[in-house]
Amino acid sequence: MSVLVTGGAGYIGSHTVRALEKRGYEVIVVDNLSKGHRSSVNKSVFYEGDIRDKDFLGGVFSKHKITAVIHFAALSLVGESVKRPDLYFSANLQGALSLLDVMNKHDVDQLVFSSTAAVYGEPSVGPLLEEHPKVPTNPYGESKLFIEKILHRHDQAFGIRSISLRYFNAAGADLAGDIGEDHRPETHLIPLILQTALEQRREIQIFGTDYPTDDGTCIRDYIHVNDLSDAHILALEALASGASSNAYNLGNGKGFSVREVIATAEKVVGRSIPTQEAPRRAGDPAILVASSERIQSELNWEPKLADLKSIIETAWVWHKSHPHGFRK
Ligand code: UFG
């Protein structure tokens, strides 16, 4: 079975490509390399190009007998999306529409979609169930929610079945140690903490100490990137055996504050990490914790690296051995 992975050279994409390869899928990767790293894909067929270019994308579908698509290609930074909504709506919405159009023309009717906890906005209760009201507070979350709606309509009108996976905070690195997180610029908490431990940064800033949480800092639900990859394969298998369209949360159901993440990282690296208190970052909800019961019971998803210390340990192996990420 051939699977097209858009954005397969990105952080979660490249880990999912490895998982697919291990399970014997033929994988075709498309990535415009605006954020991804060419060297993170070493086995699968690779095409450099933008999914908004329908001639390019149609050419890929014509060359390969694609059965299903996993769609990661998107811009994904909350803060940047507030400053440049134009870029986010263009890349994310036009990208998805172009992909769906080409899938439709080539009779490909199964799609796993990379969605986000940001579709919920500022949640009122936790752990969040999939039915929780969706009121995104930033253009990134809005773009992903619109795409979920577009997918729903494309199922009704054209029979394209899709599973949307709403990730909470992806973290960690593949256990083989040769791929991991490398965003430029880096904005995510765990890589920034570990870069501080490597003395590439002077200190880690704590964005906001006056949130309504026990220690005043934001609480997030961190999930290992390989556990996310596994969920994509389960979703793919479910669609292949005729499952209806659906959406699932993906987290570990346990929240950690920014200070708790830093303290756990200090245990992993064996030294103290300098911090600096800073103002809140715009658009950050206080608490985001998932209920992943639906995917556990319906798709038998089970996290293998659920504990935060183990997640950070895998990230630490990557950062220590690749202090400059994918750059030599
Ligand atoms: N944080 C800091 N200091 C930093 C960086 C982050 O205190 O230098 C804090 C943030 O304020 C937040 C927490 O650490 O409270 C986690 O921040 P990340 O940037 O690592 O992750 P986010 O929670 O902002 O983002 C994640 C996903 C997004 C998704 C979002 C949903 O990466 O794709 O959750 O809100 F949209």
Short mmCIF file of all heavy atoms in Angstrom, two decimals, residues 68-89:
data_model
loop_
_atom_site.label_atom_id
_atom_site.label_comp_id
_atom_site.label_asym_id
_atom_site.label_seq_id
_atom_site.Cartn_x
_atom_site.Cartn_y
_atom_site.Cartn_z
N ALA A 68 -3.69 6.23 0.16
CA ALA A 68 -4.12 7.11 1.26
C ALA A 68 -3.10 8.21 1.45
O ALA A 68 -1.95 8.10 1.02
CB ALA A 68 -4.26 6.30 2.55
N VAL A 69 -3.54 9.28 2.13
CA VAL A 69 -2.67 10.44 2.35
C VAL A 69 -2.63 10.75 3.85
O VAL A 69 -3.66 10.69 4.53
CB VAL A 69 -3.20 11.67 1.59
CG1 VAL A 69 -2.35 12.91 1.86
CG2 VAL A 69 -3.28 11.40 0.08
N ILE A 70 -1.43 11.07 4.34
CA ILE A 70 -1.32 11.66 5.69
C ILE A 70 -0.86 13.10 5.46
O ILE A 70 0.20 13.34 4.86
CB ILE A 70 -0.33 10.91 6.59
CG1 ILE A 70 -0.69 9.42 6.66
CG2 ILE A 70 -0.33 11.52 7.99
CD1 ILE A 70 0.18 8.60 7.62
N HIS A 71 -1.65 14.05 5.94
CA HIS A 71 -1.42 15.45 5.59
C HIS A 71 -0.89 16.26 6.77
O HIS A 71 -1.63 16.67 7.65
CB HIS A 71 -2.75 16.05 5.10
CG HIS A 71 -2.68 17.50 4.77
ND1 HIS A 71 -1.61 18.06 4.13
CD2 HIS A 71 -3.57 18.52 5.01
CE1 HIS A 71 -1.82 19.37 3.99
NE2 HIS A 71 -3.00 19.66 4.52
N PHE A 72 0.44 16.49 6.75
CA PHE A 72 1.07 17.32 7.79
C PHE A 72 1.37 18.73 7.30
O PHE A 72 1.46 19.65 8.11
CB PHE A 72 2.42 16.72 8.22
CG PHE A 72 2.34 15.42 8.94
CD1 PHE A 72 2.60 14.22 8.28
CD2 PHE A 72 2.02 15.37 10.29
CE1 PHE A 72 2.54 13.02 8.96
CE2 PHE A 72 1.97 14.17 10.97
CZ PHE A 72 2.23 12.99 10.30
N ALA A 73 1.62 18.87 5.98
CA ALA A 73 2.17 20.13 5.47
C ALA A 73 1.33 21.33 5.91
O ALA A 73 0.17 21.46 5.50
CB ALA A 73 2.25 20.07 3.95
N ALA A 74 1.90 22.19 6.73
CA ALA A 74 1.17 23.36 7.23
C ALA A 74 2.14 24.24 8.02
O ALA A 74 3.19 23.78 8.46
CB ALA A 74 0.04 22.93 8.17
N LEU A 75 1.74 25.50 8.19
CA LEU A 75 2.45 26.36 9.14
C LEU A 75 1.82 26.10 10.51
O LEU A 75 0.61 25.92 10.61
CB LEU A 75 2.32 27.82 8.73
CG LEU A 75 2.96 28.17 7.37
CD1 LEU A 75 2.70 29.63 7.01
CD2 LEU A 75 4.45 27.88 7.39
N SER A 76 2.61 26.13 11.58
CA SER A 76 2.06 25.62 12.85
C SER A 76 2.46 26.41 14.10
O SER A 76 2.43 25.85 15.19
CB SER A 76 2.45 24.16 13.02
OG SER A 76 3.85 24.07 13.15
N LEU A 77 2.81 27.68 13.96
CA LEU A 77 3.17 28.43 15.16
C LEU A 77 2.08 29.41 15.55
O LEU A 77 1.71 30.29 14.76
CB LEU A 77 4.48 29.17 14.96
CG LEU A 77 5.70 28.28 14.72
CD1 LEU A 77 6.94 29.12 14.46
CD2 LEU A 77 5.92 27.34 15.90
N VAL A 78 1.58 29.24 16.76
CA VAL A 78 0.47 30.06 17.24
C VAL A 78 0.82 31.56 17.17
O VAL A 78 0.07 32.36 16.59
CB VAL A 78 0.11 29.66 18.68
CG1 VAL A 78 -0.83 30.66 19.32
CG2 VAL A 78 -0.49 28.26 18.71
N GLY A 79 1.95 31.93 17.75
CA GLY A 79 2.33 33.35 17.82
C GLY A 79 2.49 33.96 16.44
O GLY A 79 1.98 35.06 16.15
N GLU A 80 3.16 33.24 15.55
CA GLU A 80 3.39 33.74 14.19
C GLU A 80 2.05 33.90 13.46
O GLU A 80 1.85 34.84 12.68
CB GLU A 80 4.27 32.72 13.45
CG GLU A 80 4.72 33.17 12.08
CD GLU A 80 5.57 32.09 11.39
OE1 GLU A 80 5.05 30.97 11.16
OE2 GLU A 80 6.72 32.37 11.08
N SER A 81 1.10 32.99 13.75
CA SER A 81 -0.18 33.04 13.05
C SER A 81 -0.97 34.30 13.41
O SER A 81 -1.75 34.81 12.61
CB SER A 81 -1.01 31.79 13.34
OG SER A 81 -1.66 31.85 14.59
N VAL A 82 -0.75 34.81 14.65
CA VAL A 82 -1.43 36.03 15.06
C VAL A 82 -0.86 37.22 14.27
O VAL A 82 -1.60 38.10 13.82
CB VAL A 82 -1.29 36.26 16.59
CG1 VAL A 82 -1.90 37.58 17.02
CG2 VAL A 82 -1.91 35.10 17.36
N LYS A 83 0.45 37.19 14.05
CA LYS A 83 1.10 38.30 13.33
C LYS A 83 0.88 38.21 11.83
O LYS A 83 0.79 39.23 11.15
CB LYS A 83 2.61 38.29 13.61
CG LYS A 83 2.92 38.62 15.05
CD LYS A 83 4.41 38.87 15.27
CE LYS A 83 4.71 39.00 16.74
NZ LYS A 83 5.52 37.90 17.27
N ARG A 84 0.81 36.98 11.28
CA ARG A 84 0.68 36.82 9.82
C ARG A 84 -0.46 35.88 9.46
O ARG A 84 -0.24 34.80 8.89
CB ARG A 84 2.00 36.31 9.23
CG ARG A 84 3.16 37.28 9.30
CD ARG A 84 2.89 38.61 8.58
NE ARG A 84 2.45 38.47 7.19
CZ ARG A 84 3.27 38.45 6.14
NH1 ARG A 84 4.57 38.54 6.33
NH2 ARG A 84 2.80 38.34 4.91
N PRO A 85 -1.73 36.29 9.79
CA PRO A 85 -2.86 35.40 9.46
C PRO A 85 -2.93 35.10 7.96
O PRO A 85 -3.34 34.02 7.55
CB PRO A 85 -4.08 36.19 9.93
CG PRO A 85 -3.62 37.60 10.09
CD PRO A 85 -2.17 37.53 10.42
N ASP A 86 -2.51 36.08 7.14
CA ASP A 86 -2.54 35.89 5.68
C ASP A 86 -1.75 34.64 5.28
O ASP A 86 -2.23 33.79 4.53
CB ASP A 86 -2.00 37.14 4.97
CG ASP A 86 -0.64 37.60 5.50
OD1 ASP A 86 -0.32 37.31 6.67
OD2 ASP A 86 0.11 38.22 4.74
N LEU A 87 -0.55 34.53 5.84
CA LEU A 87 0.30 33.38 5.49
C LEU A 87 -0.34 32.07 5.96
O LEU A 87 -0.29 31.06 5.27
CB LEU A 87 1.68 33.50 6.16
CG LEU A 87 2.55 34.68 5.75
CD1 LEU A 87 3.90 34.61 6.46
CD2 LEU A 87 2.75 34.67 4.23
N TYR A 88 -0.92 32.11 7.16
CA TYR A 88 -1.48 30.89 7.73
C TYR A 88 -2.71 30.42 6.97
O TYR A 88 -2.87 29.23 6.69
CB TYR A 88 -1.76 31.06 9.24
CG TYR A 88 -0.50 30.73 10.00
CD1 TYR A 88 0.62 31.56 9.89
CD2 TYR A 88 -0.38 29.57 10.74
CE1 TYR A 88 1.81 31.24 10.52
CE2 TYR A 88 0.81 29.23 11.37
CZ TYR A 88 1.90 30.07 11.26
OH TYR A 88 3.08 29.73 11.86
N PHE A 89 -3.60 31.37 6.63
CA PHE A 89 -4.79 30.94 5.89
C PHE A 89 -4.41 30.48 4.50
O PHE A 89 -4.95 29.50 3.97
CB PHE A 89 -5.84 32.06 5.87
CG PHE A 89 -6.45 32.29 7.24
CD1 PHE A 89 -6.50 33.56 7.80
CD2 PHE A 89 -6.94 31.23 7.99
CE1 PHE A 89 -7.04 33.76 9.07
CE2 PHE A 89 -7.48 31.41 9.26
CZ PHE A 89 -7.53 32.69 9.80
#
